[in-house]
Amino acid sequence: MSTANKGKLIIFSAPSGAGKTTLVKYIMSAMDDLAFSVSAASRKKRPGETDGKDYYFMTVDEFKQKIRNGEFIEWEEVYKDHFYGTLRSEVERIRNSGKHVVFDVDVKGGLNIKKIYGDDALAIFIKPPSIETLKQRLIQRGTDDRKEIETRIAKAERELSYAGQFDVIIVNDDLEKAKREAYKVVKDFLNK
Ligand code: ADP
Ligand code: 5GP
């Protein structure tokens, strides 16, 4: 298949708790021809998550073997012993099928993917209205313990400083408004 027929890449990055999973799920349900890039991850599966759908869950050793095999486009140790990475095979499979690839990755990973794919990729930063709101959302989500939430908040402060390097920033305050904005920027990008 020629490069022209290959799918484009849509990257969602944000500090944890800003709402990217919510917005990614919405975009996936609202538009055709999109497929989610399932990442590899070495963290424990949360209740409600499915292996192969949310992540390819694996041990730290298995993850490190894949690093050595050169299977990742990018990977990060996002939190200690929590490795996450984008599999080359996953991205190529989706692009070759003509679908557009949607990513939910951390801020560094998002910028790395953008650097590799340039104009074929749209890098979207989801910004929380404030750090305090972010904390409240993580507490309400109820998936992480207190220590984990503190780690995520500390990282969030650093991540916010990268927002300006993204193609688009969407502030996720009013969820319906954020959904409309996300829909519009993705639609415009795919129609270009
Ligand atoms: P992320 O994937 O960035 O970690 P999530 O999508 O899991 O974030 O959202 C974190 C929590 O905040 C979830 O419980 C979600 O339902 C909630 N949430 C997302 N967007 C909003 C919003 N605009 N207003 C209030 N709560 C929200
Ligand atoms: P969570 O544990 O909340 O599912 O994800 C933690 C963080 O890891 C989130 O910011 C998420 O976007 C990020 N992440 C998920 N998959 C990848 C990936 O393949 N690469 C990178 N760099 N980050 C990822």
Side-chain angles (χ1 to χ4, degrees):
M1 184 179 279
S2 76
T3 320
N5 293 330
K6 275 194 162 187
K8 294 187 181 182
L9 299 93
I10 302 151
I11 306 156
F12 285 87
S13 294
S16 184
K20 65 184 172 325
T21 307
T22 306
L23 288 169
V24 164
K25 286 197 170 144
Y26 163 70
I27 283 291
M28 301 290 306
S29 68
M31 282 184 192
D32 295 328
D33 298 329
L34 303 182
F36 183 66
S37 166
V38 179
S39 296
S42 72
R43 74 152 164 76
K44 272 198 241 118
K45 194 162 68 170
R46 293 179 187 142
E49 286 183 328
T50 310
D51 188 30
K53 186 164 162 275
D54 296 285
Y55 287 108
Y56 298 111
F57 291 100
M58 58 191 67
T59 63
V60 172
D61 283 347
E62 286 166 336
F63 196 103
K64 287 183 175 169
Q65 186 58 49
K66 289 194 186 299
I67 297 175
R68 285 193 290 274
N69 294 347
E71 291 182 48
F72 292 114
I73 288 175
E74 62 77 35
W75 62 270
E76 298 284 335
E77 186 175 8
V78 177
Y79 308 105
K80 185 163 169 26
D81 280 340
H82 289 198
F83 289 83
Y84 298 83
T86 304
L87 293 159
R88 195 179 307 281
S89 56
E90 181 80 359
V91 176
E92 286 313 306
R93 179 181 59 75
I94 297 171
R95 292 193 86 199
N96 288 332
S97 77
K99 289 198 173 180
H100 308 296
V101 194
V102 177
F103 299 86
D104 173 340
V105 292
D106 86 326
V107 170
K108 270 200 207 157
L111 289 174
N112 282 334
I113 296 170
K114 172 70 189 177
K115 215 179 287 167
I116 297 166
Y117 291 97
D119 289 344
D120 281 344
L122 175 71
I124 305 172
F125 189 94
I126 308 299
K127 199 173 170 184
S130 67
I131 291 279
E132 191 45 41
T133 310
L134 195 66
K135 196 169 178 177
Q136 288 313 319
R137 286 185 189 165
L138 285 173
I139 292 168
Q140 268 160 21
R141 189 171 70 183
T143 53
D144 306 285
D145 63 30
R146 209 190 172 88
K147 194 161 157 273
E148 188 102 352
I149 289 178
E150 289 308 327
T151 309
R152 283 168 191 251
I153 293 294
K155 186 165 185 268
E157 291 175 348
R158 254 175 296 136
E159 288 174 320
L160 285 173
S161 68
Y162 290 95
Q165 295 182 43
F166 282 72
D167 297 318
V168 181
I169 299 174
I170 294 176
V171 178
N172 181 20
D173 188 358
D174 175 340
L175 182 57
E176 292 311 311
K177 186 163 169 276
K179 282 181 180 174
R180 281 198 300 275
E181 272 181 56
Y183 186 90
K184 184 172 185 323
V185 293
V186 171
K187 198 88 191 159
D188 288 350
F189 171 68
L190 295 179
N191 286 339
K192 256 201 317 214

